[in-house]
Amino acid sequence: MPSTPLDRQLVSVKPLTVPTTGRSAPLQVKVTAPVEGEKLPIIVFSHGNAWSMDGYEPLVDRWAAAGFAVVQPTHLDSRRNRIGFDDPRFASIWRMRIADLHAILDHLGDIFDQVSSLPARADHNRIAIVGHSWGAQTTGALLGARVLDAADTPGENFSHPAVKAGALIAATGAGDSLTPFAVEHLPFMRPDYSTMSMPALVIAGGKDQSAMSTRGPDWFTDAYHLSPPPKRLFSIADGEHTLGGIAGEAVNETTDEDPARVALVADTVSAYLLDILGLDATPWQALKKQATDSSGTFTINTK
């Protein structure tokens, strides 16, 4: 698949404050979009644990270059907020993350009004949500997944009517194999994907071994296998949890640094969303051919 041209001029505006209630710190977001272009589809992106709106630039810039307007919040678990496992607020952060995305979706018009020329160019009928790691579980909730309690009872439905599709990158798997540490500190890491009915792309690395699960890398494919169609699974054989370094260049937690892999992840999300949102099927068809020719470097499954 041809790479997205990165010489397209982009504009980023931050911080923009989004109205919220019951939050111990203001909800701030960053908006990135191409300087030119009309009817831009929208991505709301949920970062992984401890990150912020200032991370994931290698993904966000490629999405904007592909014609998307991207909104990135800073969730409460960001390092800059210094909320650790022993903080009484930590137990409810997973809910606040979901509330953050709802607040953004409910105030998109107000957010874009603060970015010159963007209000007239954003397509509010084509909104997708994307997340990485903890952000992927957060994203899944807005696509219809629920959280099981200790008695395996599904929690409330957090889906949002504005969302048309999503992409889950290195998403939390089922909670029946959590390590003792995860059970104690991350009990919400028990997603029920059986109700995640919205169209979604799941991206997983074949060498992503989580410290939170006793299972192997297949744990990160549960969002695909345990959810109803329509779904697509994009598997990268040698990918680890940051899939080449999607959070940023030379980031300490990256264990498989590979700029080409990062570009592949970014362009796969763009291709999927352009296809599923009814804008352009050509990039996805090209990606499918590339997967066939890759000798197993990456694969695509569909249901």
Side-chain angles (χ1 to χ4, degrees):
M1 184 177 68
S3 295
T4 305
L6 294 183
D7 57 353
R8 185 173 187 176
Q9 286 193 330
L10 311 178
V11 60
S12 291
V13 179
K14 67 169 188 178
L16 304 173
T17 301
V18 181
T20 57
T21 57
R23 206 176 190 273
S24 59
L27 171 58
Q28 294 186 327
V29 302
K30 173 184 177 182
V31 174
T32 304
V35 170
E36 297 181 346
E38 304 298 323
K39 297 183 178 179
L40 306 176
I42 299 164
I43 292 175
V44 178
F45 178 76
S46 180
H47 62 72
N49 180 46
W51 278 92
S52 72
M53 63 182 174
D54 295 318
Y56 296 87
E57 192 173 71
L59 291 186
V60 172
D61 282 359
R62 293 189 79 87
W63 293 337
F68 291 85
V70 186
V71 184
Q72 297 174 261
T74 295
H75 294 301
L76 278 178
D77 56 279
S78 174
R79 292 182 183 91
R80 61 189 55 176
N81 291 323
R82 301 180 181 275
I83 299 177
F85 292 127
D86 57 347
D87 190 299
R89 291 171 292 177
F90 188 84
S92 62
I93 280 182
W94 71 273
R95 290 179 175 273
M96 187 55 66
R97 278 176 149 266
I98 294 169
D100 288 349
L101 299 190
H102 274 263
I104 291 166
L105 291 165
D106 292 342
H107 293 92
L108 273 177
D110 297 332
I111 294 169
F112 290 157
D113 280 346
Q114 300 175 72
V115 183
S116 178
S117 83
L118 194 54
R121 299 191 297 124
D123 186 349
H124 289 257
N125 293 315
R126 289 185 168 94
I127 299 174
I129 52 174
V130 181
H132 172 238
S133 194
W134 194 356
Q137 184 179 353
T138 307
T139 293
L142 272 76
L143 296 172
R146 303 192 182 192
V147 174
L148 299 173
D149 64 15
D152 290 335
T153 302
E156 57 262 58
N157 178 8
F158 292 109
S159 59
H160 194 286
V163 175
K164 299 299 188 290
L168 283 63
I169 305 169
T172 298
D176 53 2
S177 65
L178 294 180
T179 62
F181 176 88
V183 170
E184 178 181 358
H185 297 287
L186 308 165
F188 52 84
M189 200 177 280
R190 303 190 71 226
D192 175 12
Y193 290 115
S194 67
T195 55
M196 194 177 76
S197 58
M198 294 294 293
L201 169 70
V202 177
I203 299 180
K207 293 184 178 179
D208 188 354
Q209 179 60 60
S210 176
M212 302 301 164
S213 171
T214 59
R215 283 170 55 191
D218 69 298
W219 190 58
F220 292 99
T221 67
D222 283 355
Y224 173 78
H225 292 296
L226 302 181
S227 64
K231 299 292 184 297
R232 300 178 196 177
L233 173 64
F234 189 81
S235 302
I236 301 176
D238 290 333
E240 299 180 21
H241 196 62
T242 62
L243 294 158
I246 60 175
E249 296 175 358
V251 169
N252 187 53
E253 66 194 51
T254 300
T255 55
D256 64 333
E257 189 162 11
D258 185 343
R261 184 173 298 153
V262 173
L264 176 63
V265 171
D267 293 348
T268 296
V269 172
S270 295
Y272 169 74
L273 293 179
L274 289 171
D275 183 22
I276 205 71
L277 295 175
L279 292 166
D280 186 359
T282 305
W284 183 260
Q285 294 304 317
L287 182 68
K288 288 173 62 177
K289 183 180 186 305
Q290 188 179 353
T292 301
D293 297 340
S294 75
S295 300
T297 301
F298 56 90
T299 57
I300 296 173
N301 295 90
T302 304
K303 67 177 183 179

